Amino acid sequence: EDQVTQSPEALRLQEGESSSLNCSYTVSGLRGLFWYRQDPGKGPEFLFTLYSAGEEKEKERLKATLTKKESFLHITAPKPEDSATYLCAVSANQAGTALIFGKGTTLSVSS
Amino acid sequence: GAGVSQSPRYKVAKRGQDVALRCDPISGHVSLFWYQQALGQGPEFLTYFQNEAQLDKSGLPSDRFFAERPEGSVSTLKIQRTQQEDSAVYLCASGLAGITDTQYFGPGTRLTVL
């Protein structure tokens, strides 16, 4: 069964304290891995798409990487405005048209 | 530019009532998806349209759920005879073309069934 697991469930950081969020997946035929940010009461906001192992993408303080089994979202010197829930999702051949989402990691950054 | 919009943003229904949730995708986007998000969970797929054709409805939880996109733009998700377990946020997403393209989400409709 296709599965996406995110860890940790919650993460509390001090401003400037860098860390990483993990997304591990077990799917048949990965077509793409997506990272989204979701603020309370809002829909997911697109961050990155990764298609193949070894690929990396960066945007401001965020960097996403992909291996054959997992993806990491690295947050460098976070600020309070980075506080949100970060969702990982995969598109896979066996899953048809659906994106399969993890439960998310809720990040809190305090000043 | 204009993103995906959804209405209403909040809906309270009494058990047994029918509800209709609307999604306006990004102009020119061929693909349209509906997801259901329970509290503290990631979104779960409900159905997919390519233009006006509903190509995948494997995620619809029961025959009380029905979606349409008659002219290939605006879509409506209808839930008949609502039950308490239908309470959730219903998210709509649109994409430029194929199923591997990035999906852009709307703000969601929070449905509460009393």
Side-chain angles (χ1 to χ4, degrees):
Chain A
E1 180 185 336
D2 295 335
Q3 198 166 25
V4 178
T5 303
Q6 292 188 246
S7 62
E9 289 185 11
L11 181 62
R12 303 177 78 90
L13 299 174
Q14 289 289 114
E15 185 172 3
E17 180 186 1
S18 301
S19 187
S20 295
L21 313 182
N22 178 265
C23 171
S24 62
Y25 59 91
T26 54
V27 298
S28 302
L30 180 73
R31 292 193 294 239
L33 185 141
F34 303 80
W35 282 99
Y36 287 87
R37 167 190 172 133
Q38 187 171 29
D39 293 296
K42 296 189 176 180
E45 174 189 345
F46 171 71
L47 294 174
F48 304 108
T49 308
L50 302 167
Y51 291 107
S52 56
E55 191 174 358
E56 298 182 352
K57 290 200 176 163
E58 284 188 72
K59 178 182 177 180
E60 296 180 355
R61 296 178 292 282
L62 300 177
K63 178 180 177 180
T65 62
L66 181 65
T67 72
K68 289 186 178 180
K69 297 285 188 184
E70 58 193 349
S71 176
F72 291 93
L73 184 65
H74 308 276
I75 303 177
T76 302
K79 298 182 177 182
E81 54 261 42
D82 294 324
S83 298
T85 295
Y86 290 85
L87 294 166
C88 169
V90 299
S91 173
N93 289 336
Q94 294 301 314
T97 52
L99 277 183
I100 303 168
F101 280 85
K103 292 183 178 181
T105 293
T106 299
L107 173 66
S108 299
V109 182
S110 54
S111 57
Chain B
V4 178
S5 61
Q6 293 185 245
S7 60
R9 291 294 317 278
Y10 304 92
K11 178 69 179 177
V12 178
K14 292 183 178 178
R15 190 162 59 95
Q17 282 185 330
D18 297 348
V19 298
L21 312 180
R22 176 187 169 106
C23 172
D24 283 85
I26 295 171
S27 177
H29 277 194
V30 168
S31 301
L32 187 145
F33 303 80
W34 282 98
Y35 290 83
Q36 181 189 61
Q37 186 173 26
L39 193 63
Q41 304 293 315
E44 291 194 0
F45 171 79
L46 294 176
T47 188
Y48 162 63
F49 289 86
Q50 186 175 81
N51 294 308
E52 68 278 4
Q54 188 175 21
L55 299 185
D56 188 346
K57 52 182 181 179
S58 61
L60 294 177
S62 78
D63 58 9
R64 296 186 295 104
F65 286 71
F66 172 75
E68 60 183 5
R69 194 186 184 196
E71 298 179 357
S73 56
V74 171
S75 177
T76 304
L77 177 68
K78 297 179 180 178
I79 309 174
Q80 297 177 324
R81 304 181 303 281
T82 53
Q83 303 294 315
Q84 283 190 322
E85 60 262 29
D86 300 335
S87 295
V89 175
Y90 291 86
L91 294 164
C92 174
S94 70
L96 196 58
I99 55 176
T100 56
D101 284 343
T102 299
Q103 297 179 26
Y104 297 91
F105 284 81
T109 294
R110 179 177 295 279
L111 173 65
T112 303
V113 181
L114 303 176

